[in-house]
Amino acid sequence: NEGGKMAANYLIGKGHQRLAFLGDTSELGAYTILPIRQRLIGFQQGIAKAGLTLPTEFICNSLYDVKDAEAKIEPILRRPDRPTAVFAATDMQAWGVVNKARQLGLRVPEDLAVLGFDDLDFADYVGLSTISQALDESGRLAVEILLARIQDPQRSLRHVRIPLKVIERQTT
């Protein structure tokens, strides 16, 4: 949720008003909490707080895959009223948006800003702007919490928030 709000605030702060979202927003069942769905909700909340709207036709459901992201974002990028910025729920999907934008002759970031999420190693290499969630640190903490729980099954569950931050590179 916070990552989506951060993405909205960042892109709106760069002057964008027509924003789009790309991610796997499909539901897996009544009791699942999907981080991608939470990112979308946060993104919508951040946009609404700025007095803007995220049109449903600018919410793009895509698998966690570069090629699928390319295919799914194409109709949105071909629209005459296309967005000027896309927040992709993962770096892999963001890279698909960048690829398709360039294939269509759009300049990134001049014509279309693209922001990913995760800060995977390749993001730095290709100059992808993204939101870092410190994956190494979250993995370390998960193992630490799991080991403590194994040693003491009665131990109460810990909820830890890993700070997020925007890593600005060449795509925004």
Side-chain angles (χ1 to χ4, degrees), residues 54-101:
L54 178 62
T56 52
E57 59 269 23
F58 283 7
I59 299 173
C60 186
N61 190 17
S62 168
L63 301 174
Y64 180 75
D65 174 80
V66 172
K67 290 296 177 193
D68 192 61
E70 288 177 10
K72 299 287 176 55
I73 198 67
E74 183 170 359
I76 293 171
L77 296 183
R78 288 187 178 277
R79 293 174 60 111
D81 64 341
R82 67 173 171 72
T84 62
V86 176
F87 171 45
T90 69
D91 288 345
M92 296 299 286
Q93 291 165 320
W95 193 243
V97 173
V98 170
N99 284 347
K100 183 49 69 177

Side-chain angles (χ1 to χ4, degrees), residues 111-125:
D111 301 323
L112 183 74
V114 181
L115 180 66
F117 192 98
D118 287 327
D119 196 25
L120 298 177
D121 290 343
F122 88 92
D124 184 31
Y125 180 73

Side-chain angles (χ1 to χ4, degrees), residues 26 32 39 44 50 52 70-71 102 110 114 120 123 131 138 163:
S26 57
T32 57
R39 279 177 211 154
Q44 289 170 313
L52 301 171
E70 288 177 10
R102 289 177 174 158
E110 297 85 354
V114 181
L120 298 177
I131 294 177
S138 66

Side-chain angles (χ1 to χ4, degrees), residues 5-67:
K5 287 179 187 172
M6 184 178 284
N9 293 338
Y10 172 73
L11 293 170
I12 291 166
K14 299 280 268 175
H16 297 283
Q17 295 193 345
R18 284 194 323 279
L19 304 161
F21 176 88
L22 181 134
D24 186 353
T25 59
S26 57
E27 294 291 351
L28 297 178
Y31 300 104
T32 57
I33 299 173
L34 299 176
I36 305 307
R37 168 82 49 198
Q38 291 301 310
R39 279 177 211 154
L40 171 58
I41 290 167
F43 193 56
Q44 289 170 313
Q45 290 170 342
I47 290 170
K49 189 173 180 185
L52 301 171
T53 56
L54 178 62
T56 52
E57 59 269 23
F58 283 7
I59 299 173
C60 186
N61 190 17
S62 168
L63 301 174
Y64 180 75
D65 174 80
V66 172
K67 290 296 177 193

Side-chain angles (χ1 to χ4, degrees), residues 117-143:
F117 192 98
D118 287 327
D119 196 25
L120 298 177
D121 290 343
F122 88 92
D124 184 31
Y125 180 73
V126 299
L128 178 68
S129 296
T130 185
I131 294 177
S132 171
Q133 64 169 338
L135 288 172
D136 292 346
E137 178 67 5
S138 66
R140 186 190 65 73
L141 280 168
V143 170

